[in-house]
């Protein structure tokens, strides 16, 4: 409530983001008690030190407004963190805080978003915020201009995982992935989830939407390895149903609230798979032998997220968000129910990434397929990015993870 009111006031004052709009009343719909599009943004604006700095950045191509689109989102306390991928040139800052005024402020600083400085962030698609520790886990591909017409990708820096304390902005760990795990010249580390063991965020799992892999980072051993399987490869779009969508390898990744399974799917595919964490936690496991085909989603999606009881994902074909429940049968899981939570042709178009804050589910809808094909207009005449907040009546998968995993009597066997 607070944020809605604050944002509303800021917007009205600055008239930079139109408002009030899309409120969906869905009392009866799957326990969603409210749903608001908190932001409607026509383009991405940054908080420049001064106007001459902004003018200089526009002049020399450091800021090209139509190449900036918000994809990733995480919310912690009163702050909304968003990412702007450096797919194309002219993105001044890749990791940012979204202010109540709809303006992006580089996070943790301008300096930490310096292009070409390998001590800084180069290209961040996603991050995870652990509400138990206040730590942000940031994945940086190290590569930019990877989707720029007429330009070759620039492999500026090694790919890395940066863990930082949100409150102090202190960097607690930097891990550079070796080239034989995460390719320095072809990776697209896209999404990240955390896995709790014995009260600690012990593992991170990361999808690679270019090289079709799932990476495992072991925090305790400060080591990484990867898994690859045919189910991670891009699938063909369904003709007549998925026309105009995009296809790519494994993208959406979601950790179950009991830290037993990781769900994954390739971009826009309807096939949903899961892999037990007991497989992922062990280097050299037979991944392929342990894959579970959970079922078919109601449509193609990008990001996914688990709450305490549900799996949330987008259905592009219906401009919707769905909520699914799965059922455990022996060692296998299958989809039991799938229900639409919200849909809108304009403001729920291409739901990209989800986040939890308390029992609020947040997501970014950004018309990404139209961005990829240069069909968006960034001159202020239309909204291109919508940021939604829904009260879904359940917490996210990381809620009280420390307490919930402390008394597990599951021995962890590390082989190799
Ligand atoms: C709604 O919430 C109730 C109580 O929390 C729960 O039992 C029920 O399964 C939920 N319904 C759906 C569709 O999620
Ligand atoms: C604008 O900000 C830049 C960078 O902080 C600084 O170097 C410059 O002196 C400032 N210019 C004016 C006119 O304040
Ligand atoms: C996140 O949840 C907390 C606790 O409910 C709330 O105080 C805070 O305002 C929320 N943050 C946002 C950005 O809504
Ligand atoms: C973890 O490994 C990285 C290699 O990229 C190294 O630079 C760093 O010092 C290690 N950190 C710890 C805590 O061992
Ligand atoms: C992994 O499991 C699959 C399927 O059960 C099997 O065909 C394959 O031989 C196994 N690979 C190894 C290296 O054991
Ligand atoms: C923005 O572009 C559209 C389509 O090209 C045009 O109709 C409109 O007048 C433009 N608006 C502004 C404010 O420049």
């Amino acid at each position: 409530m607070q944020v809605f009111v604050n944002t509303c006031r800021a917007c009205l004052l600055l008239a930079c983001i139109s408002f009030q709009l899309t409120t969906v009343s869905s009392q009866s719909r799957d326990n969603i008690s409210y749903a608001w599009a908190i932001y409607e943004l026509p383009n991405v604006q940054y908080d420049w030190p001064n106007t001459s700095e902004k003018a200089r950045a526009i002049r020399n191509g450091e800021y090209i407004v139509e190449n900036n689109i918000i994809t990733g989102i995480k919310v912690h306390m009163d702050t909304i963190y968003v990412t702007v991928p450096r797919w194309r040139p002219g993105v001044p800052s890749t990791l940012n805080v979204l202010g109540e005024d709809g303006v992006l402020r580089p996070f943790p600083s301008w300096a930490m978003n310096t292009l070409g400085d390998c001590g800084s962030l180069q290209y961040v698609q996603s991050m995870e915020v652990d509400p138990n520790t206040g730590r942000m886990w940031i994945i940086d591909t190290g590569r930019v201009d990877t989707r720029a017409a007429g330009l070759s990708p620039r492999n500026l820096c090694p790919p890395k995982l940066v863990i930082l304390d949100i409150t102090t902005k202190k960097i607690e760990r930097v891990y550079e992935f070796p080239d034989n795990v995460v390719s320095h010249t072809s990776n697209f580390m896209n999404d990240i989830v955390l896995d709790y063991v014995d009260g600690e965020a012990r593992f991170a799992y990361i999808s690679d939407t270019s090289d079709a892999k799932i990476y495992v980072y072991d925090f305790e051993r400060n080591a990484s390895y990867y898994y690859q399987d045919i189910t991670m490869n891009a699938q063909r779009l369904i003709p007549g149903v998925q026309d105009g969508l995009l296809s790519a390898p494994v993208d959406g990744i979601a950790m179950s609230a009991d830290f037993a399974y990781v769900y994954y799917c390739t971009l826009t595919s309807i096939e949903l798979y899961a892999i037990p964490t007991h497989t992922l936690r062990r280097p050299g496991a037979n991944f392929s032998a342990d894959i579970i085909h959970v079922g078919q989603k109601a449509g193609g999606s990008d990001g996914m997220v688990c709450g305490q009881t549900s799996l949330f994902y987008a259905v592009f074909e219906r401009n919707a968000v769905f909520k699914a429940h799965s059922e455990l049968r022996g060692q296998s899981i299958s989809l039991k129910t799938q229900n639409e939570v919200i849909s809108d042709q304009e403001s729920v178009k291409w739901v990209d990434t989800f986040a939890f804050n308390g029992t609020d589910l947040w997501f970014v809808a950004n018309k990404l397929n139209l961005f990829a094909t240069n069909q968006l207009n960034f001159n202020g005449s239309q909204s291109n990015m919508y940021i939604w907040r829904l009260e879904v009546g359940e917490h996210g998968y990381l809620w009280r993870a420390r307490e919930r995993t402390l008394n597990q009597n599951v021995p962890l066997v590390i082989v190799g």
Side-chain angles (χ1 to χ4, degrees):
M1 203 64 175
Q2 195 64 35
V3 166
F4 180 69
V5 172
N6 285 347
T7 311
C8 186
R9 193 166 56 228
C11 281
L12 292 174
L13 281 175
L14 288 159
C16 62
I17 36 184
S18 59
F19 212 161
Q20 52 67 263
L21 94 127
T22 337
T23 305
V24 171
S25 110
S26 42
Q27 210 78 32
S28 56
R29 259 192 189 171
D30 287 302
N31 295 345
I32 311 294
S33 49
Y34 64 70
W36 287 320
I38 304 277
Y39 295 86
E40 268 191 72
L41 303 170
N43 48 44
V44 179
Q45 295 294 330
Y46 295 89
D47 182 34
W48 299 93
N50 52 53
T51 49
S52 48
E53 194 61 16
K54 178 179 178 182
R56 191 195 53 78
I58 291 172
R59 247 190 342 268
N60 70 14
E62 277 171 38
Y63 176 42
I64 303 172
V65 68
E66 65 270 23
N67 289 353
N68 287 256
I69 192 140
I70 293 171
T71 59
I73 182 166
K74 288 294 170 278
V75 179
H76 183 62
M77 313 284 250
D78 279 323
T79 310
I80 304 166
Y81 301 89
V82 293
T83 63
V84 183
R86 280 180 168 143
W87 274 313
R88 298 172 177 177
V91 175
S93 173
T94 182
L95 180 61
N96 306 277
V97 164
L98 174 59
E100 290 174 355
D101 51 5
V103 173
L104 274 62
R105 287 167 183 80
F107 182 83
S109 61
W110 275 105
M112 267 301 287
N113 280 277
T114 306
L115 199 61
D117 169 9
C118 294
S120 302
L121 301 169
Q122 301 305 300
Y123 178 123
V124 180
Q125 182 85 19
S126 299
M127 62 290 191
E128 183 58 286
V129 172
D130 184 348
N132 302 286
T133 58
R135 281 178 171 174
M136 181 182 279
W137 297 54
I138 304 159
I139 41 175
D140 179 2
T141 69
R143 311 178 61 230
V144 304
D145 299 348
T146 47
R147 299 271 192 291
L151 292 178
S152 303
R154 292 195 292 154
N155 306 311
L156 296 176
C157 298
K160 59 182 182 283
L161 172 70
V162 177
I163 303 175
L164 80 79
D165 182 299
I166 285 191
T167 318
T168 60
K169 296 190 180 179
K170 186 174 163 270
I171 292 175
E172 302 199 328
R173 186 170 296 188
V174 177
Y175 176 78
E176 276 184 14
F177 290 94
D179 190 51
N180 62 7
V181 176
V182 180
S183 165
H184 295 198
T185 53
S186 61
N187 92 83
F188 179 10
M189 288 197 293
N190 191 310
D191 208 352
I192 174 169
V193 291
L194 302 183
D195 181 14
Y196 258 76
V197 179
D198 295 337
E200 303 284 343
R202 166 78 191 265
F203 297 93
Y205 307 125
I206 299 160
S207 60
D208 187 321
T209 310
S210 161
D211 290 344
K213 292 177 181 170
I214 292 178
Y215 304 116
V216 180
Y217 172 70
D218 181 334
F219 183 83
E220 200 169 294
R221 291 170 62 224
N222 194 35
S224 63
Y225 49 96
Y226 71 88
Y227 284 108
Q228 212 165 10
D229 181 80
I230 195 169
T231 55
M232 299 176 197
N233 294 348
Q235 303 196 8
R236 258 182 300 167
L237 298 170
I238 304 166
V241 178
Q242 297 192 314
D243 301 337
L245 299 184
L246 310 166
S247 168
V250 60
D251 185 319
I253 184 169
M255 170 64 69
S256 67
D258 59 2
F259 300 102
Y261 297 94
V262 171
Y263 295 93
Y264 66 94
C265 68
T266 65
L267 186 66
T268 68
S269 166
I270 64 173
E271 306 298 339
L272 181 66
Y273 297 98
I275 186 79
T277 49
H278 69 68
T279 306
L280 288 169
R281 290 171 185 172
R282 212 153 31 89
N286 190 339
F287 187 102
S288 303
D290 294 344
I291 294 170
I292 299 160
H293 182 228
V294 181
Q296 295 191 325
K297 294 179 281 121
S301 25
D302 188 321
M304 305 189 290
V305 73
C306 286
Q308 288 295 310
T309 59
S310 316
L311 170 71
F312 294 91
Y313 62 83
V315 173
F316 292 139
E317 296 87 331
R318 303 198 201 180
N319 301 308
V321 170
F322 268 60
K323 166 167 132 172
H325 290 135
S326 58
E327 178 170 56
L328 188 63
R329 274 201 244 106
Q331 292 299 312
S332 194
I333 29 179
S334 58
L335 282 171
K336 193 173 68 178
T337 59
Q338 303 189 65
N339 297 299
E340 188 178 284
V341 162
I342 185 172
S343 78
D344 186 67
Q345 272 193 23
E346 162 62 22
S347 61
V348 190
K349 208 174 182 65
W350 198 285
V351 172
D352 191 306
T353 306
F354 293 94
F356 263 100
N357 178 46
T359 53
D360 286 340
L361 176 71
W362 290 68
F363 66 82
V364 173
N366 60 15
K367 307 180 181 175
L368 198 69
N369 52 331
L370 303 182
F371 173 79
T373 48
N374 304 312
Q375 294 178 66
L376 296 182
N377 187 328
F378 287 94
N379 73 357
S381 60
Q382 67 179 53
S383 294
N384 294 317
M385 292 153 277
Y386 293 83
I387 294 180
W388 282 88
R389 175 182 162 195
L390 278 63
E391 161 61 63
V392 292
E394 63 183 280
H395 287 87
Y397 77 100
L398 284 170
W399 174 72
R400 298 193 62 218
R402 203 199 297 253
E403 297 91 312
R404 291 191 296 115
T405 59
L406 253 184
N407 300 317
Q408 269 182 348
N409 273 324
V410 186
L412 180 68
V413 184
I414 294 289
V415 180

